[in-house]
Amino acid sequence: MIVSILDNDFYKFTMQHAVMKLFPKARAKYQFINRGKHVFPPGFAPALQDAIAALAKLQLTDREKSYFATTCPYIDPTYFDFLQGYRYDPTEVRVEQQDGELTVAIEGYWYRTILWEVPIMSLICELYYQLTGQIRQPDEQVIATATQKIEQYGQLGVTIAEFGTRRRHSYTVHRLVVQALRAAGEGTFIGTSNVHMAMRNQTRPIGTHAHEWFMFHAAKYGFKMANLLGLEHWSEVYRGDLGIALSDTYTTDVFFTQFDKKLSKLFDGVRHDSGDPLVFADKTIAHYEHHGIDPRSKTIIFSDGLDTEKVTRIAGYCRGRIGISFGIGTNFTNDVGLPPMNIVIKMTEAYPTDGHWTPVIKLSDEPGKHTGDGKMIALAKQILDIP
């Protein structure tokens, strides 16, 4: 199901590199959240535990190391030496099952545990379909569907990246989809968030950072400084590379109050991950214009539950006003005739150096997507003046 240590999202490696440089003693906890209320069949937990244990055998090969280092020269060579010696430690993960309910908890040094989220989610999805006996469409249909979609996006004149590792149907489907996108998407398909799939298909790994980067910064520095210091630290590590800023960890409105003129000029653009994309586009354009920056020199990466209809609507609204690109996940890697899973794994607590365990939260632009401790959510809203 997972055959390479690089079968993970690019932003996990870029964040791991940054965590090692800046917060090597920090610890973290993560928790599985079953948003879709899926009922897991008997024996699911032992099967998942076995699959997690198998990840301990993975290691970075010389060929993978050479590809990764050559493709990403802005990452320190010492990091690739570290990654070659890194092994997943299954003792960092606890899996339990009570009837149809599944519990997955992760705890350890942040620089180590940061790599668990994506492969565990993909394992949960693949095992769920296997153990519930659900039959997907044949390979030919999977390829045809992906080909049709990328051709439609090509007709729109937009660029598309594949972001579907976490909730893919299976490794096989993911592989077939990226191959189809690469074959039929010249000029449209620009890469994948999955480093292993990027290497297999000689395309670019795409990504920067995730919500947990800013969630940790809130635990260490407070909610009012989380976005600002999170981006300052990111720029210290990457010096202008990997310049797309994630905007909705504590709502977009709060983000733009902290995304000052210096950061607005330094970063290439922002990523939209929740809320109305057209409202977000208007806010982003207004923000850049307020700081005397031509919005057409910046880019919005849209990545929230996209399909052809949404991309068409967004492209028509934004074209000529600001640069745009799209990251599409589940609609590529789990469009196989079965209901896709709705699951996440989120950081729940952080332990900064010389600190203490602190609950961490995420305040999405969609209230239903808020995650974390209720008391901490209420406190953050009060501090950040969020209704």
Side-chain angles (χ1 to χ4, degrees), residues 222-228 231 246-260 283 287 363 365 380-381 383-387:
F223 293 112
K224 286 192 173 183
M225 298 300 291
N227 286 315
L228 177 63
L231 294 177
L246 182 59
S247 61
D248 72 332
T249 309
Y250 303 109
T251 75
T252 292
D253 289 339
V254 169
F255 171 82
F256 279 132
T257 66
Q258 301 172 345
F259 194 49
D260 62 17
K283 289 180 178 179
H287 174 81
L363 301 180
D365 285 331
K381 285 183 174 182
I383 291 172
L384 297 172
D385 197 23
I386 298 173

Side-chain angles (χ1 to χ4, degrees), residues 294-330:
D294 184 352
R296 293 171 297 178
S297 69
K298 300 296 182 177
T299 299
I300 300 175
I301 308 295
F302 293 93
S303 62
D304 180 30
L306 298 177
D307 55 25
T308 308
E309 184 276 327
K310 290 182 181 178
V311 171
T312 302
R313 181 161 52 93
I314 294 168
Y317 190 78
C318 295
R319 185 170 282 116
R321 302 174 66 204
I322 192 168
I324 56 173
S325 190
F326 300 87
I328 299 177
T330 307

Side-chain angles (χ1 to χ4, degrees), residues 24-256:
K25 295 182 181 180
R27 299 178 67 85
K29 295 180 182 179
Y30 299 79
Q31 195 79 33
F32 169 70
I33 303 171
N34 185 4
R35 284 180 175 166
K37 308 300 181 185
H38 306 284
V39 178
F40 291 89
F44 190 90
L48 179 59
Q49 286 176 321
D50 289 345
I52 289 171
L55 297 184
K57 300 176 183 178
L58 298 177
Q59 61 185 46
L60 190 74
T61 67
D62 289 340
R63 180 168 171 265
E64 288 172 332
K65 180 181 180 182
S66 177
Y67 162 79
F68 208 171
T70 301
T71 304
C72 306
Y74 42 79
I75 296 178
D76 295 341
T78 51
Y79 171 73
F80 300 111
D81 290 340
F82 158 80
L83 191 60
Q84 196 161 33
Y86 177 91
R87 300 293 183 274
Y88 283 109
D89 180 359
T91 65
E92 295 167 343
V93 184
R94 177 174 54 84
V95 180
E96 297 177 354
Q97 184 174 359
Q98 182 68 39
D99 297 324
E101 295 185 8
L102 181 71
T103 299
V104 181
I106 304 163
E107 180 178 346
Y109 282 109
W110 189 23
Y111 80 89
R112 290 194 49 82
T113 55
I114 201 167
L115 292 189
W116 277 117
E117 173 194 346
V118 175
I120 289 179
M121 285 184 63
S122 64
L123 287 172
I124 289 172
C125 289
E126 186 157 0
L127 284 170
Y128 179 78
Y129 293 117
Q130 285 183 9
L131 297 182
T132 54
Q134 300 184 56
I135 307 300
R136 66 170 173 88
Q137 295 168 341
D139 292 356
E140 295 77 11
Q141 184 60 50
V142 171
I143 294 169
T145 299
T147 300
Q148 180 185 31
K149 288 178 180 178
I150 199 65
E151 288 176 346
Q152 289 176 325
Y153 292 131
Q155 293 169 5
L156 289 174
V158 298
T159 55
I160 302 288
E162 179 274 310
F163 282 7
T165 305
R166 296 185 303 158
R167 285 182 285 266
R168 68 190 183 192
H169 172 274
S170 59
Y171 174 85
T172 298
V173 165
H174 196 177
R175 176 174 53 80
L176 292 172
V177 165
V178 177
Q179 287 175 350
L181 298 177
R182 182 77 168 83
E186 184 176 358
T188 303
F189 177 62
I190 58 171
T192 169
S193 64
N194 187 291
V195 183
H196 170 64
M197 295 296 176
M199 179 178 171
R200 279 186 60 102
N201 293 275
Q202 291 301 295
T203 188
R204 282 201 306 143
I206 304 289
T208 52
H209 46 242
H211 296 106
E212 67 183 282
W213 181 253
F214 301 98
M215 293 161 74
F216 173 84
H217 277 75
K220 185 170 177 64
Y221 302 106
F223 293 112
K224 286 192 173 183
M225 298 300 291
N227 286 315
L228 177 63
L229 289 179
L231 294 177
E232 288 278 7
H233 286 150
W234 194 258
S235 67
E236 286 176 17
V237 174
Y238 288 110
R239 314 300 299 173
D241 284 307
L242 303 178
I244 297 295
L246 182 59
S247 61
D248 72 332
T249 309
Y250 303 109
T251 75
T252 292
D253 289 339
V254 169
F255 171 82
F256 279 132

